[in-house]
Amino acid sequence: MSERRLGGRDVTVSAVGQGTMGVGGTFARDEQNDAACIRSLQAGFDLGMRFVDTAPGYGAGHAEELVGRAVTGRRSSVVIATKFPPTASTRGGLIASVEASLRRMRTDYVDLLQVHWPCYDVPVDETLDTMRRLVEVGKARFLGLGNCTAAETLRALATPAGEHIVSVQQEYSLLERSVETHLLPECRARELTLIAYSPLAVGRLAADLAAFPIAVVMAERYGLSVSQLALAWLLQEQQVIAIPKASSLSHLRANAATASVRLDPADRERLGAAFSQPTRCVPPEEIVVEHEQGRPVYTTLAEARANALGIHPGPAELARQMSDGEMLKPIKIRPMAGNGKTRFRLTEGRTRYWGWVIAHGDTPIPAVIEGGDASRGA
């Protein structure tokens, strides 16, 4: 397994790690399923994927419990990364969250303690200072940021906690490239590791091969699956490690094998160009936010401000993150039939949409327009 230095430090991690979102079910405590999850994690360790990423929010702590059981007898050889929720960003809340995580994982320390999402109701200096103190007392070895903008990353690095920050975790895949604009260049410049979550676009590439002919052709030429090709494309960037979640032993083996794949630079550039999704700024009033069957959403600004669903981070919190004009990633919209003023249907990023409207009113919002992209042809 190819290994990389974590944030330029002396500790190394596997280029392909193991994500645990959804591991063990949502809130289930089924011993048979748990045992299968533990075997899967341990099989990944045996294949060299000794970096595992988890969080207390995954299955209400159940994923951390399974990680703890999986590393029994091999703790020193596995690099564990966990997080704390936005609601635990105060000094007392953060300490309590980390102590609970350590108990669930049956360990005295976590290798990488990460912000899961920024909390804008707590002074960021309080959160970062508490994280720094946890390093100083040996509860964490290194610190990482999650779902932060490039500007927020730079501000965190400038604090006393900055000397311990080695990574930023953000969504990154062939189908989600927002980090390439600001965040990835900053990671390169400062030797930060970018931990790519959802590196296979939550299975969208493999699920709809007909929509990605260039990937199918290139994968066949390299003797890879489309998923392996997509993962290999990410890993050509030395600042990046990926944390896919595998659903079977065959997927684990495929993910592990990808770490040794080397794509021709011209092929990587061609593949990246084919999947490029240009961002366009669209007036919010031209976008319709509709109810979804089986999924409650906010369809008015008043609903978004009230945040009755208790979303964290909610629209008002994201509005504060967007106050300087930077978004984690653009929303996605699809053209609607008809010639009226409203021309697009919102398909992804509802909370981000309302956060932008709260922060910037009628200012056009960065968006990717989906549908009919001929650039993905072979």
Side-chain angles (χ1 to χ4, degrees), residues 292-310:
E292 289 186 18
Q293 185 175 4
R295 180 184 177 186
V297 298
Y298 303 137
T299 59
T300 68
L301 180 57
E303 290 176 346
R305 287 185 183 278
N307 195 23
L309 298 175

PDB file of all heavy atoms in Angstrom, residues 292-310:
ATOM      1  N   GLU A 292     -39.710  17.610  -1.674  1.00  0.00           N
ATOM      2  CA  GLU A 292     -39.327  16.293  -2.150  1.00  0.00           C
ATOM      3  C   GLU A 292     -40.145  15.241  -1.437  1.00  0.00           C
ATOM      4  O   GLU A 292     -40.412  15.359  -0.244  1.00  0.00           O
ATOM      5  CB  GLU A 292     -37.837  16.021  -1.871  1.00  0.00           C
ATOM      6  CG  GLU A 292     -36.901  16.819  -2.724  1.00  0.00           C
ATOM      7  CD  GLU A 292     -35.465  16.393  -2.490  1.00  0.00           C
ATOM      8  OE1 GLU A 292     -35.241  15.287  -1.946  1.00  0.00           O
ATOM      9  OE2 GLU A 292     -34.573  17.169  -2.845  1.00  0.00           O
ATOM     10  N   GLN A 293     -40.515  14.208  -2.174  1.00  0.00           N
ATOM     11  CA  GLN A 293     -41.285  13.127  -1.567  1.00  0.00           C
ATOM     12  C   GLN A 293     -40.443  12.412  -0.507  1.00  0.00           C
ATOM     13  O   GLN A 293     -39.334  11.941  -0.776  1.00  0.00           O
ATOM     14  CB  GLN A 293     -41.723  12.126  -2.636  1.00  0.00           C
ATOM     15  CG  GLN A 293     -42.632  11.022  -2.090  1.00  0.00           C
ATOM     16  CD  GLN A 293     -43.132  10.120  -3.204  1.00  0.00           C
ATOM     17  OE1 GLN A 293     -42.753  10.267  -4.354  1.00  0.00           O
ATOM     18  NE2 GLN A 293     -43.989   9.179  -2.841  1.00  0.00           N
ATOM     19  N   GLY A 294     -40.955  12.385   0.709  1.00  0.00           N
ATOM     20  CA  GLY A 294     -40.289  11.678   1.793  1.00  0.00           C
ATOM     21  C   GLY A 294     -39.131  12.423   2.423  1.00  0.00           C
ATOM     22  O   GLY A 294     -38.456  11.899   3.297  1.00  0.00           O
ATOM     23  N   ARG A 295     -38.898  13.672   1.989  1.00  0.00           N
ATOM     24  CA  ARG A 295     -37.780  14.425   2.568  1.00  0.00           C
ATOM     25  C   ARG A 295     -38.212  15.859   2.813  1.00  0.00           C
ATOM     26  O   ARG A 295     -38.472  16.602   1.849  1.00  0.00           O
ATOM     27  CB  ARG A 295     -36.580  14.413   1.620  1.00  0.00           C
ATOM     28  CG  ARG A 295     -35.384  15.181   2.156  1.00  0.00           C
ATOM     29  CD  ARG A 295     -34.264  15.218   1.149  1.00  0.00           C
ATOM     30  NE  ARG A 295     -33.140  16.010   1.626  1.00  0.00           N
ATOM     31  CZ  ARG A 295     -32.074  16.307   0.884  1.00  0.00           C
ATOM     32  NH1 ARG A 295     -32.009  15.888  -0.357  1.00  0.00           N
ATOM     33  NH2 ARG A 295     -31.093  17.035   1.379  1.00  0.00           N
ATOM     34  N   PRO A 296     -38.321  16.283   4.063  1.00  0.00           N
ATOM     35  CA  PRO A 296     -38.738  17.661   4.344  1.00  0.00           C
ATOM     36  C   PRO A 296     -37.652  18.652   3.945  1.00  0.00           C
ATOM     37  O   PRO A 296     -36.458  18.419   4.190  1.00  0.00           O
ATOM     38  CB  PRO A 296     -38.976  17.661   5.852  1.00  0.00           C
ATOM     39  CG  PRO A 296     -38.098  16.558   6.366  1.00  0.00           C
ATOM     40  CD  PRO A 296     -38.073  15.519   5.290  1.00  0.00           C
ATOM     41  N   VAL A 297     -38.033  19.726   3.305  1.00  0.00           N
ATOM     42  CA  VAL A 297     -37.084  20.762   2.915  1.00  0.00           C
ATOM     43  C   VAL A 297     -37.704  22.126   3.170  1.00  0.00           C
ATOM     44  O   VAL A 297     -38.935  22.256   3.294  1.00  0.00           O
ATOM     45  CB  VAL A 297     -36.699  20.652   1.415  1.00  0.00           C
ATOM     46  CG1 VAL A 297     -36.008  19.343   1.126  1.00  0.00           C
ATOM     47  CG2 VAL A 297     -37.919  20.820   0.520  1.00  0.00           C
ATOM     48  N   TYR A 298     -36.874  23.136   3.248  1.00  0.00           N
ATOM     49  CA  TYR A 298     -37.363  24.501   3.374  1.00  0.00           C
ATOM     50  C   TYR A 298     -37.611  25.059   1.972  1.00  0.00           C
ATOM     51  O   TYR A 298     -36.722  25.021   1.115  1.00  0.00           O
ATOM     52  CB  TYR A 298     -36.343  25.378   4.101  1.00  0.00           C
ATOM     53  CG  TYR A 298     -35.967  24.878   5.473  1.00  0.00           C
ATOM     54  CD1 TYR A 298     -34.635  24.890   5.910  1.00  0.00           C
ATOM     55  CD2 TYR A 298     -36.930  24.394   6.354  1.00  0.00           C
ATOM     56  CE1 TYR A 298     -34.285  24.443   7.173  1.00  0.00           C
ATOM     57  CE2 TYR A 298     -36.587  23.937   7.623  1.00  0.00           C
ATOM     58  CZ  TYR A 298     -35.260  23.960   8.020  1.00  0.00           C
ATOM     59  OH  TYR A 298     -34.929  23.506   9.266  1.00  0.00           O
ATOM     60  N   THR A 299     -38.805  25.573   1.762  1.00  0.00           N
ATOM     61  CA  THR A 299     -39.135  26.129   0.449  1.00  0.00           C
ATOM     62  C   THR A 299     -39.309  27.642   0.477  1.00  0.00           C
ATOM     63  O   THR A 299     -39.537  28.246  -0.555  1.00  0.00           O
ATOM     64  CB  THR A 299     -40.420  25.484  -0.113  1.00  0.00           C
ATOM     65  OG1 THR A 299     -41.495  25.716   0.811  1.00  0.00           O
ATOM     66  CG2 THR A 299     -40.231  23.988  -0.314  1.00  0.00           C
ATOM     67  N   THR A 300     -39.196  28.244   1.664  1.00  0.00           N
ATOM     68  CA  THR A 300     -39.294  29.697   1.776  1.00  0.00           C
ATOM     69  C   THR A 300     -38.153  30.214   2.653  1.00  0.00           C
ATOM     70  O   THR A 300     -37.590  29.474   3.471  1.00  0.00           O
ATOM     71  CB  THR A 300     -40.628  30.141   2.403  1.00  0.00           C
ATOM     72  OG1 THR A 300     -40.663  29.736   3.784  1.00  0.00           O
ATOM     73  CG2 THR A 300     -41.813  29.533   1.657  1.00  0.00           C
ATOM     74  N   LEU A 301     -37.841  31.492   2.484  1.00  0.00           N
ATOM     75  CA  LEU A 301     -36.787  32.102   3.277  1.00  0.00           C
ATOM     76  C   LEU A 301     -37.140  32.102   4.765  1.00  0.00           C
ATOM     77  O   LEU A 301     -36.270  31.863   5.618  1.00  0.00           O
ATOM     78  CB  LEU A 301     -36.545  33.533   2.792  1.00  0.00           C
ATOM     79  CG  LEU A 301     -35.463  34.336   3.524  1.00  0.00           C
ATOM     80  CD1 LEU A 301     -34.126  33.609   3.480  1.00  0.00           C
ATOM     81  CD2 LEU A 301     -35.341  35.731   2.913  1.00  0.00           C
ATOM     82  N   ALA A 302     -38.414  32.325   5.082  1.00  0.00           N
ATOM     83  CA  ALA A 302     -38.833  32.331   6.488  1.00  0.00           C
ATOM     84  C   ALA A 302     -38.604  30.962   7.118  1.00  0.00           C
ATOM     85  O   ALA A 302     -38.129  30.862   8.262  1.00  0.00           O
ATOM     86  CB  ALA A 302     -40.304  32.726   6.589  1.00  0.00           C
ATOM     87  N   GLU A 303     -38.932  29.886   6.401  1.00  0.00           N
ATOM     88  CA  GLU A 303     -38.694  28.539   6.922  1.00  0.00           C
ATOM     89  C   GLU A 303     -37.199  28.295   7.144  1.00  0.00           C
ATOM     90  O   GLU A 303     -36.797  27.698   8.148  1.00  0.00           O
ATOM     91  CB  GLU A 303     -39.245  27.495   5.944  1.00  0.00           C
ATOM     92  CG  GLU A 303     -40.757  27.446   5.850  1.00  0.00           C
ATOM     93  CD  GLU A 303     -41.229  26.455   4.801  1.00  0.00           C
ATOM     94  OE1 GLU A 303     -40.389  26.017   3.973  1.00  0.00           O
ATOM     95  OE2 GLU A 303     -42.424  26.134   4.793  1.00  0.00           O
ATOM     96  N   ALA A 304     -36.385  28.749   6.193  1.00  0.00           N
ATOM     97  CA  ALA A 304     -34.940  28.538   6.298  1.00  0.00           C
ATOM     98  C   ALA A 304     -34.364  29.272   7.509  1.00  0.00           C
ATOM     99  O   ALA A 304     -33.526  28.738   8.235  1.00  0.00           O
ATOM    100  CB  ALA A 304     -34.258  29.003   5.017  1.00  0.00           C
ATOM    101  N   ARG A 305     -34.829  30.499   7.733  1.00  0.00           N
ATOM    102  CA  ARG A 305     -34.331  31.255   8.880  1.00  0.00           C
ATOM    103  C   ARG A 305     -34.727  30.593  10.200  1.00  0.00           C
ATOM    104  O   ARG A 305     -33.943  30.548  11.149  1.00  0.00           O
ATOM    105  CB  ARG A 305     -34.888  32.683   8.836  1.00  0.00           C
ATOM    106  CG  ARG A 305     -34.263  33.578   7.774  1.00  0.00           C
ATOM    107  CD  ARG A 305     -34.804  35.005   7.910  1.00  0.00           C
ATOM    108  NE  ARG A 305     -34.306  35.890   6.895  1.00  0.00           N
ATOM    109  CZ  ARG A 305     -33.128  36.514   6.921  1.00  0.00           C
ATOM    110  NH1 ARG A 305     -32.329  36.326   7.953  1.00  0.00           N
ATOM    111  NH2 ARG A 305     -32.767  37.316   5.940  1.00  0.00           N
ATOM    112  N   ALA A 306     -35.959  30.064  10.264  1.00  0.00           N
ATOM    113  CA  ALA A 306     -36.445  29.433  11.498  1.00  0.00           C
ATOM    114  C   ALA A 306     -35.732  28.114  11.779  1.00  0.00           C
ATOM    115  O   ALA A 306     -35.557  27.724  12.939  1.00  0.00           O
ATOM    116  CB  ALA A 306     -37.949  29.213  11.407  1.00  0.00           C
ATOM    117  N   ASN A 307     -35.336  27.390  10.717  1.00  0.00           N
ATOM    118  CA  ASN A 307     -34.613  26.122  10.845  1.00  0.00           C
ATOM    119  C   ASN A 307     -35.303  25.167  11.818  1.00  0.00           C
ATOM    120  O   ASN A 307     -34.679  24.598  12.726  1.00  0.00           O
ATOM    121  CB  ASN A 307     -33.171  26.363  11.290  1.00  0.00           C
ATOM    122  CG  ASN A 307     -32.283  25.132  11.094  1.00  0.00           C
ATOM    123  OD1 ASN A 307     -32.581  24.270  10.267  1.00  0.00           O
ATOM    124  ND2 ASN A 307     -31.200  25.043  11.846  1.00  0.00           N
ATOM    125  N   ALA A 308     -36.611  25.003  11.605  1.00  0.00           N
ATOM    126  CA  ALA A 308     -37.393  24.152  12.508  1.00  0.00           C
ATOM    127  C   ALA A 308     -36.947  22.693  12.478  1.00  0.00           C
ATOM    128  O   ALA A 308     -37.199  21.945  13.428  1.00  0.00           O
ATOM    129  CB  ALA A 308     -38.878  24.258  12.141  1.00  0.00           C
ATOM    130  N   LEU A 309     -36.281  22.269  11.405  1.00  0.00           N
ATOM    131  CA  LEU A 309     -35.822  20.886  11.304  1.00  0.00           C
ATOM    132  C   LEU A 309     -34.546  20.647  12.112  1.00  0.00           C
ATOM    133  O   LEU A 309     -34.090  19.511  12.243  1.00  0.00           O
ATOM    134  CB  LEU A 309     -35.573  20.514   9.834  1.00  0.00           C
ATOM    135  CG  LEU A 309     -36.797  20.579   8.906  1.00  0.00           C
ATOM    136  CD1 LEU A 309     -36.384  20.315   7.463  1.00  0.00           C
ATOM    137  CD2 LEU A 309     -37.844  19.564   9.345  1.00  0.00           C
ATOM    138  N   GLY A 310     -33.971  21.715  12.636  1.00  0.00           N
ATOM    139  CA  GLY A 310     -32.777  21.568  13.462  1.00  0.00           C
ATOM    140  C   GLY A 310     -31.549  21.126  12.701  1.00  0.00           C
ATOM    141  O   GLY A 310     -30.703  20.395  13.230  1.00  0.00           O
TER     142      GLY A 310
END
